[in-house]
Structure formats: C-alpha cells, structure tokens
C-alpha cells in the first residue's frame, strides 16, 4: 500500500463492490433545522424519514432551551459524570425524566446507542444469560456481544420461545437473566408483547429492560411510551428512552428504581468512561419535556397522522405487510410505517424518484434489515399537514408501481 495520504485502495475496492451491489451508503445534508419539511440541495422537501416525531427539534423553545443552557453551563461538561462532569442541569433533567416516566430515578447517557450498550453490560452478568429479541436494535446486539454473558436470541416477538429457552437455562447458581426488547421495533413498527414478556420474566426471576426509543413521545398516555400504553408502569426493571427522537434533542436516559441507577453509575462503562452530555442537549430536552407536558395534543396529532398515512397508502395500492411481522402487533398509532419493496436497487430507485418528486424518504438496506426486505421506512410527525400526507401517499404509490415493487396484494400474501 502507498502513503495513507494517497488513499486506501483496499477500502476503495470494497466501496466499489458495495456500489455494484446497490449497497453503498452516502450522507445527504439538510440545510437548516429538521422538521416536517427539510431543505436539501436548495430544494424544500416533505421529510418522511426522520424521528423528530413531535416536531420538537426545530421548535423555538427547544432551540432557546439549548442556547440558554450553553450560556449558563458552558459548551461541554468537561469530564465524565463520576469525575467532575455532573452539572446541575443533568440532575434537573434526570429529575424531570423520572417524573415523566413515573420512576424512582433516571440516569442520562450520551446517546441511545450508549445507553443500551451500558445497560446490557451492567445488568448482563458474566455467567448469566442475556436474552434479546431477534429484531432488536443494533445497539442492543452490540451490548449483548460486549457483555460477556451467554447470548440468547429469541424469535421475534415470540415470548413462548423465550420462556422455553430460559427454562432450559435455569440453575441454582446462575445470576438472574436479563431480557431486553425494543418496545416499538425501529424498522418494522410493531410493538413487543410486553405483558407476556413481563409474565415470562417474573416466572424465571429475570430482569426486563424495554428500549422505548420509538415509544417515548409517541405511545401511551402523555406520550409515556409502549410500557405505559400497555398499563405496565412499574412492572419493568428499566426503560431506555432517547432524547434525540420524539424529544427533539440529543442523548438518552434510563428510567428505573434508584438501586438500578446506582448500579449503572458504578458499572455502566458508557457512563463511566465517557464525557457527560453537553449542557445544550440537556437544556433542549428540558424545554421539549415542558412543551410535551403543555401540549399533549401533539401526541394525538401524531397518532392521527400515523393512522391517516396508513389508510392513504393502502388506498393508493401500497402494501403495508412486512414479512415476519404479525399484523396484530402493529398499532396503527405507531408513526413508523415500513413499505417493503424487496431488492436494494428497486428500493433506492423508488427513493430517488420520490426525491425528484419532492419527498425525502430514505431506503433501508442490509445490514439494517434482512436481504430481500429492503424498504422505505416512512415516518410521520405530529406537525405534518394531513393534506400533504394524502398527496404523498399517491406519489409513493406511483413510485412503488414504477420500480415494480410489491403492491398490497403481493406483500400481504407473504
Ligand atoms: C430502537 C433504538 N434504540 C436505540 C437507538 C439509538 O439511539 P440514539 O440515536 O440516541 O443513539 C435507536 C436509534 O437509532 C433505536 O432505533
């Protein structure tokens, strides 16, 4: 190989191979804040693939909250939480998050990715078992790999499989197992069978952690998530919530009993060995929580928009069934609506056609989803205008038909 400054021919060849397979990923830049619409290359587009579900990222009060926190507390925390990086604004936000979730305590993390890796590492014990749903988010998968615990991947949403596998691993000297699941699955939009998982965990003396990345702000009373929607508050050992999706800020938290929080402070490596979240992120999240408390109707509008886009897509001939996903686990209030196309090239062609047609709807390919199930992962926000969503559904129907993707009938039959 030549000098590093001349490039890396090995990596270049691999990148070329990815491009040949239709799997090369590229960054696309938004000019200005994220919202129901976004500007790309000077064109204003309808944004249908972000996670800013309540339109809070660009909200004036959220931006002001970030700015005020930076002015009052500085640009960065300057250290990890345990050294000298715990600021009053972190504690204030943790207090508010615990109140929001109805838990004893909360602990901030720099991102949802870090929260999952930290929680699984701290609660998944060496010599024990960590059980993870087959379609859990990559951050959970990575956390399980790092934990050193025995990895048990149960079939997607299949609590009976989990029950059976945990029974086979019971032993008097084994520490409690850890079961972790997405509450709302990020690429499929279905909801975990939380009541059954609570029962299974109780039967086996296992701890249960629910990742509410796409539940917080979207489901349940006041947007308190899938656990609250299922009436299971107080029944799970820890909730992982993100601040960077419906709450329009950045970072994440674990809401749990103080015993769990104290354990995480002592054992979660992504807290111990990482600089504390920036004050601006905490300030933005505090402001977002205040808006959500004051305007719970945002959650109602989000639900209405989620139901509307599903209906309109179906009316436009777009199939919404996802291979391997049970229809009875899809809550129409969930703002994630996957439109499975199949092949990577066709998916990206549909995405490009929509871009030309004024809609930003990114295609999702392996390794994020299984080969052959590439999809347009459509998301709505409470701030989308229903008329624009109706119009978008027709354009999506046209794009899918143009690339020869499956229509409703074909996908529904899988
Ligand atoms: C289910 C789930 N968990 C965790 C994360 C990671 O959260 P963050 O983006 O804050 O790192 C994501 C987002 O990508 C997610 O979809």
């Amino acid at each position: 190989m030549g000098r590093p400054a001349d490039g890396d021919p090995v990596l270049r060849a691999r990148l070329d191979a990815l491009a040949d397979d239709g799997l090369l990923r590229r960054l696309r830049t938004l000019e200005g804040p994220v919202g129901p619409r976004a500007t790309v290359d000077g064109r204003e587009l309808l944004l249908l693939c972000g996670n800013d579900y309540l339109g809070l990222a660009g909200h004036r009060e959220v931006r002001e909250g970030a700015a005020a926190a930076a002015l009052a507390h500085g640009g960065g925390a300057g250290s990890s939480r345990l050294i000298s990086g715990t600021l009053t604004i972190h504690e204030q936000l943790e207090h508010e998050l615990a109140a929001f979730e109805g838990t004893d305590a909360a602990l901030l993390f720099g991102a949802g990715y870090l929260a999952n890796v930290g929680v699984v590492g701290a609660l998944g014990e060496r010599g024990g078992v960590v059980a993870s749903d087959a379609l859990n988010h990559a951050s959970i998968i990575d956390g399980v790999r790092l934990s050193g615990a025995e990895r048990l991947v149960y079939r997607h949403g299949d609590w009976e499989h989990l029950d059976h596998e945990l029974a086979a691993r019971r032993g008097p000297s084994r520490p409690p197992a850890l079961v972790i699941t997405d509450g709302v699955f990020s690429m499929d939009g279905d909801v975990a069978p939380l009541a059954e998982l609570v029962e299974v965990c109780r039967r086996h003396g296992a701890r249960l952690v629910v990742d509410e990345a796409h539940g917080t702000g979207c489901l349940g009373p006041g947007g308190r998530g899938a656990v609250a929607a299922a009436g299971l508050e107080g029944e799970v050992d820890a909730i992982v919530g993100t601040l960077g999706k419906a709450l329009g800020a950045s970072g994440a938290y674990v809401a749990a009993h103080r015993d769990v929080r104290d354990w995480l402070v002592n054992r979660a490596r992504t807290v111990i060995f990482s600089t504390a979240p920036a004050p601006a992120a905490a300030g933005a999240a505090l402001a977002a929580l205040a808006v959500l408390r004051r305007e719970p109707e945002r959650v109602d509008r989000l639900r209405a928009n989620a139901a509307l886009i599903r209906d309109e897509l179906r009316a436009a001939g777009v199939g919404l069934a996802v291979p391997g996903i049970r229809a009875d686990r899809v809550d129409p209030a969930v703002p994630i609506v996957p439109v499975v196309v199949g092949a990577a090239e066709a998916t990206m062609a549909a995405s490009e056609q929509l871009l030309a047609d004024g809609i930003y709807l990114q295609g999702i390919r392996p390794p994020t989803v299984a080969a052959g199930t590439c999809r347009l992962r459509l998301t709505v926000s409470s701030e989308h205008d229903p008329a624009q969503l109706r119009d978008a559904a027709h354009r999506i129907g046209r794009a899918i038909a143009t690339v020869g993707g499956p229509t409703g009938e074909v996908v529904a039959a899988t």
Side-chain angles (χ1 to χ4, degrees), residues 51 111-114 116 137 139 182 184 186 211 213-214 242 244-245 251-252:
N51 299 319
Y113 186 98
L114 298 171
N116 279 332
H137 188 257
S139 53
D182 284 15
V184 174
S186 56
D211 177 358
H214 301 279
T242 53
K245 301 187 195 302

Side-chain angles (χ1 to χ4, degrees), residues 3 19 41 44-45 48 65 69 71-72 76 101 138 142 145 205 209 212 257 287 312 349:
R3 293 170 62 235
D41 293 332
E44 202 190 286
L45 305 168
L48 288 181
L71 287 172
E101 293 285 1
D142 294 355
R145 286 187 181 135
V209 174
E212 290 269 30
H257 191 274
E312 294 292 326

